[in-house]
Amino acid sequence: MENQIREAVNALKNGELVILPTETVYGIFADAANQDAVEKLYAAKGRPTEKALNLNVSDFGTILKFSKNRPIYLKKLVQSFLPGPLTIILEASGSVPEWIHIGKTTVGFRMPSITSTQSVIKEIGVLVGPSANLTGEASPVLFENLSSEILSKASLALQDDSDYGLDTTILDLTLSPARILRNGAVKKEEILEKVPEIGNIQ
């Protein structure tokens, strides 16, 4: 697996797309700092550019770099649920490239828990990685669910079917009270139990 991780890192650094496993579904990833690579990703999926991409990060410090006006409980929330199936929406700092969230003032953060994918993200810094399917098709939970068309768009695909399941829960912290935009693996009750400082969640 170490050789595959190195190959994935090199491919991403060269502006290529790579398919990586997460604890929910397989994603197709690009270097978030490389505009050409991100545009290639949008084209590969047939994804509208107005549909923003989440930033996949490996540590809390990176979340701080790319966000602003953060709630005081953010660190506790991250420590409680990340890495894991929770996407957190925050106000974007000026460090977020425009091509990630065209016309938007917010950005989502994701920290996948699969070890190999974490290693790749840590090497690159920040990745974007929506589900590895053509827009409108079912998200690939297992490696065998990846279509030949999407596989042809990536230079490499890492296989790991050891951990998969429900979609990520999307939690918007830019609203007051915070709001769950999509119910997923992390339940509202779990968040309130571990981070009571959040007060209330819609």
Side-chain angles (χ1 to χ4, degrees), residues 60-61 63-64 70-83 86 88 90 111 171 173 186 190-199:
F60 182 62
I63 295 177
L64 296 182
R70 298 169 293 270
I72 55 172
Y73 55 78
L74 179 63
K75 187 171 186 178
K76 186 173 183 181
L77 180 70
V78 170
Q79 289 175 335
S80 298
F81 294 101
L82 299 180
L86 178 68
I88 297 171
L90 294 166
M111 202 181 287
L171 179 64
L173 300 181
V186 178
E190 293 177 77
I191 299 170
L192 290 171
E193 180 184 346
K194 291 191 176 181
V195 192
E197 294 88 343
I198 202 166

Side-chain angles (χ1 to χ4, degrees), residues 3-4 11 23 42 53 58 89 96 98 103-104 116 120 127 173 175 183 196:
N3 287 341
Q4 284 189 301
E23 72 278 18
Y42 271 110
L53 294 164
S58 63
I89 309 293
V96 178
E98 175 63 18
K104 291 186 171 60
S116 57
V120 174
L127 296 179
L173 300 181
L175 303 171
N183 287 301

Side-chain angles (χ1 to χ4, degrees), residues 1-183:
M1 182 60 83
E2 278 192 26
N3 287 341
Q4 284 189 301
I5 290 170
R6 179 52 48 197
E7 285 179 42
V9 168
N10 290 338
L12 288 161
K13 285 181 176 178
N14 289 328
E16 299 300 321
L17 306 182
V18 171
I19 293 172
L20 299 172
T22 78
E23 72 278 18
T24 55
V25 299
Y26 278 83
I28 183 165
F29 287 80
D31 180 354
N34 185 328
Q35 183 173 2
D36 288 342
V38 174
E39 289 173 354
K40 186 189 294 185
L41 175 57
Y42 271 110
K45 277 183 61 72
R47 183 185 178 99
T49 52
E50 63 269 16
K51 197 170 179 185
L53 294 164
N54 294 325
L55 294 179
N56 285 258
V57 303
S58 63
D59 56 60
F60 182 62
T62 308
I63 295 177
L64 296 182
K65 177 182 177 182
F66 290 100
S67 64
K68 63 181 182 181
N69 300 327
R70 298 169 293 270
I72 55 172
Y73 55 78
L74 179 63
K75 187 171 186 178
K76 186 173 183 181
L77 180 70
V78 170
Q79 289 175 335
S80 298
F81 294 101
L82 299 180
L86 178 68
T87 298
I88 297 171
I89 309 293
L90 294 166
E91 285 188 44
S93 74
S95 298
V96 178
E98 175 63 18
W99 55 83
I100 300 298
H101 66 151
I102 297 168
K104 291 186 171 60
T105 58
T106 60
V107 66
F109 293 92
R110 174 92 164 86
M111 202 181 287
S113 65
I114 299 283
T115 304
S116 57
T117 301
Q118 275 188 21
S119 298
V120 174
I121 297 169
K122 194 170 185 177
E123 284 283 335
I124 301 296
V126 186
L127 296 179
V128 287
S131 56
N133 58 288
L134 302 180
T135 296
E137 294 186 350
S139 300
V141 174
L142 299 171
F143 192 82
E144 65 186 27
N145 301 142
L146 292 163
S147 70
S148 56
E149 186 166 357
I150 205 74
L151 284 166
S152 72
K153 311 276 189 184
S155 65
L156 184 71
L158 268 60
Q159 181 174 359
D160 185 343
D161 290 342
S162 64
D163 188 11
Y164 59 88
L166 297 171
D167 284 336
T168 58
T169 297
I170 301 177
L171 179 64
D172 191 337
L173 300 181
T174 68
L175 303 171
S176 183
R179 182 178 299 167
I180 290 178
L181 303 184
R182 181 177 73 192
N183 287 301

